[in-house]
Amino acid sequence: MTMVPAQPLDAEGFAPFGDIIDARGPTPQSINAGHAQRYHDLARLDHDPSGHLAISVFVAEAMDFPVAVTMLERHPRGPQCFVPICGTPTLIVVAGDRSGVPGSPRVFLAPAGTGVSYRRGTWHGVLTPIGAPGHAVRYAVIDWTGPDMNLETYPLPDRLVVQAPQSSH
């Protein structure tokens, strides 16, 4: 068993795995006669042209720290984007590819209201909202759908236990 604390999600640390989806980075465009702000082009959605990108809603059960991670998954035909519909932090576990299996995992905690887009082929943990255990959390999910399988899973030989972020106090 390997124990690691979650790190705050930041664009530079997450860049090898995908994009952060939130309204804190780029300068927004004023739209709708000044009544709304558009944060444009936040994620690149490269995908296999034999299928298409679909929008779904996932409902996941919230968990609390420590969180045991026993497997990672990836989607070789397209990205997978998770955008929380409510304000809940999300645990993000990612790893680079090492000859067809996950490399060393990196662990982030996305703040409430922040989504992520995993690049095509990126190993990542399952959807893990952080909050009161058993609480149902909704996410808008954009991912590839088509005639072929778009899911590979890998059971971790050494269970990863993620602890709450270390306090800066």
Side-chain angles (χ1 to χ4, degrees):
M1 171 173 46
T2 303
M3 296 187 73
V4 297
Q7 301 297 313
L9 182 66
D10 67 278
E12 183 179 337
F14 190 69
F17 311 104
D19 300 300
I20 296 174
I21 301 171
D22 70 9
R24 289 183 284 176
T27 303
Q29 300 168 347
S30 180
I31 61 170
N32 297 343
H35 295 284
Q37 302 293 310
R38 178 181 177 144
Y39 293 83
H40 184 68
D41 200 14
L42 297 176
R44 298 298 170 147
L45 305 179
D46 169 50
H47 67 91
D48 182 325
S50 69
H52 65 276
L53 296 177
I55 298 176
S56 305
V57 172
F58 285 17
V59 179
E61 183 178 320
M63 303 173 96
D64 198 5
F65 291 109
V67 174
V69 179
T70 59
M71 58 90 68
L72 296 180
E73 65 182 36
R74 69 177 174 178
H75 308 279
R77 302 200 179 283
Q80 192 172 45
C81 308
F82 292 94
V83 181
I85 294 174
C86 60
T88 301
T90 304
L91 183 65
I92 307 294
V93 179
V94 289
D97 185 68
R98 187 176 293 149
S99 301
V101 299
S104 297
R106 302 261 327 258
V107 181
F108 300 97
L109 185 61
T114 298
V116 296
S117 177
Y118 299 118
R119 282 192 175 70
R120 179 179 178 173
T122 295
W123 290 105
H124 63 87
V126 298
L127 180 58
T128 309
I130 299 297
H135 177 73
V137 181
R138 287 180 171 77
Y139 290 79
V141 178
I142 303 166
D143 59 0
W144 184 90
T145 188
D148 298 315
M149 180 61 82
N150 188 34
L151 174 66
E152 295 176 14
T153 61
Y154 183 83
L156 295 176
D158 186 25
R159 181 174 65 151
L160 180 70
V161 177
V162 180
Q163 300 171 315
Q166 296 174 344
S167 175
S168 59
H169 305 315

